[in-house]
């Protein structure tokens, strides 16, 4: 299986901050990388697919980049509703998910 | 409005078969691929497998010998069967829709069904 790692595992940020989360794959996955937001007790919400395609209805402050093994999710200006856990997921091989990055309030 | 709803027994005995159904409303099953994903308590998300309206499937190799996913187009439902379960199969099971046929990214999820394996 392709292993996914994320860094940091958690971060504290303030509203309005620019936040960057990194995801790394254990082998090249081209651009087959998706990002999700998850809040407690809820199913994940798709934010970005194919590394940089913004899912319909997702605010433009979310963006994704990268290819190969290294990817980033950027939130340009953190809003109150963005405090959540973020997961990456690859679909190049058997689908696997990263362990998550928790974003909380500083 | 696309909605997915998982249903099935919340308690299954070891060695028996776990069976869940995902009822889809607001969209036809025909146009998409559909996956099952699970999350054991305190652990990460694990993809179980997917199916399309034609019944073509792809399973996680770690579960392939025990899992069957099927589709009932007349009822707009997807089903999951997992045989010979153990406590390690205790998890919240989600059904999810692929955002585009060729892309295994999941844009709609059910609320999840907790299945506990215990005698």
């Amino acid at each position: 299986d392709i292993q996914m790692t994320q860094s940091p595992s958690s971060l504290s940020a303030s509203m309005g901050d620019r936040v960057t989360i990194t995801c790394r794959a254990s082998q090249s996955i081209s651009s087959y990388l998706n990002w999700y937001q998850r809040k407690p007790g809820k199913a994940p919400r798709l934010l970005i697919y194919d590394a940089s395609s913004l899912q319909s209805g997702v605010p433009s402050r979310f963006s994704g980049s990268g290819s190969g093994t290294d990817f980033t999710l950027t939130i340009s200006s953190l809003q109150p509703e963005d405090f959540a856990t973020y997961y990456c997921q690859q679909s190049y091989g058997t689908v696997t998910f990263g362990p998550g990055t928790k974003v909380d309030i500083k | 409005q696309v909605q997915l709803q998982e249903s099935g027994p919340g308690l299954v005995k070891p060695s028996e078969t776990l069976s869940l159904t995902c009822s889809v409303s607001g969209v036809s099953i025909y146009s998409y691929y559909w996956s099952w994903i699970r999350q054991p308590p305190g652990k990460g998300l694990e993809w179980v497998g997917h199916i399309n309206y034609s019944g073509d499937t792809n399973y996680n190799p770690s579960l392939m010998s025990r899992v069957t996913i099927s589709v009932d187009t007349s009822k707009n439902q997807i089903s999951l069967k997992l045989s010979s379960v153990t406590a390690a199969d205790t998890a919240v099971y989600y059904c999810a829709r692929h955002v585009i046929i060729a892309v295994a990214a999941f844009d709609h999820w059910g609320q999840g069904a907790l299945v506990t394996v215990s005698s």
Side-chain angles (χ1 to χ4, degrees):
Chain A
D1 282 2
I2 298 172
Q3 306 302 316
M4 307 301 293
T5 57
Q6 290 182 234
S7 60
S9 57
S10 65
L11 66 90
S12 296
S14 301
M15 280 184 287
D17 283 354
R18 182 181 182 90
V19 170
T20 299
I21 298 169
T22 297
C23 176
R24 176 165 289 173
S26 59
Q27 67 180 74
S28 177
I29 57 171
S30 184
S31 296
Y32 293 93
L33 190 284
N34 311 310
W35 288 99
Y36 298 85
Q37 176 193 70
R38 192 173 194 188
K39 296 183 179 178
K42 300 286 190 180
R45 173 196 183 196
L46 178 65
L47 300 174
I48 303 284
Y49 64 94
D50 284 354
S52 60
S53 296
L54 189 68
Q55 169 64 359
S56 175
V58 174
S60 59
R61 64 180 179 272
F62 291 93
S63 64
S65 64
S67 66
T69 60
D70 296 317
F71 301 85
T72 58
L73 172 71
T74 299
I75 309 171
S76 61
S77 178
L78 202 64
Q79 299 301 301
E81 60 268 29
D82 300 338
F83 292 99
T85 301
Y86 293 84
Y87 295 88
C88 60
Q89 171 243 317
Q90 65 81 20
S91 58
Y92 181 83
T94 299
V95 167
T96 52
F97 291 83
T101 295
K102 184 176 182 180
V103 176
D104 61 21
I105 301 173
K106 182 183 286 184
Chain B
Q1 181 184 0
V2 178
Q3 290 189 318
L4 290 71
Q5 175 80 49
E6 303 91 349
S7 60
L11 181 64
V12 180
K13 290 182 168 54
S15 80
E16 296 189 343
T17 296
L18 176 160
S19 296
L20 292 172
T21 297
C22 175
S23 298
V24 178
S25 60
V27 68
S28 170
I29 279 184
Y30 280 98
S31 303
Y32 295 91
Y33 280 38
W34 306 87
S35 275
W36 285 96
I37 297 158
R38 70 180 185 177
Q39 185 169 29
K43 297 189 176 181
L45 293 159
E46 180 182 33
W47 177 75
V48 175
H50 77 230
I51 193 167
N52 67 10
Y53 69 90
S54 298
D56 300 321
T57 55
N58 187 21
Y59 299 136
N60 190 320
S62 68
L63 298 169
M64 185 179 296
S65 63
R66 300 192 292 126
V67 66
T68 302
I69 297 175
S70 59
V71 63
D72 186 334
T73 53
S74 67
K75 294 181 179 179
N76 228 37
Q77 290 178 338
I78 303 109
S79 296
L80 169 69
K81 292 187 185 300
L82 184 65
S83 63
S84 304
V85 297
T86 69
D89 295 309
T90 293
V92 176
Y93 286 77
Y94 298 93
C95 57
R97 187 184 83 166
H98 292 217
V99 64
I100 306 172
I101 283 179
V103 176
F106 313 112
D107 68 338
H108 286 279
W109 297 60
Q111 86 286 354
L114 173 62
V115 179
T116 301
V117 178
S118 175
S119 55

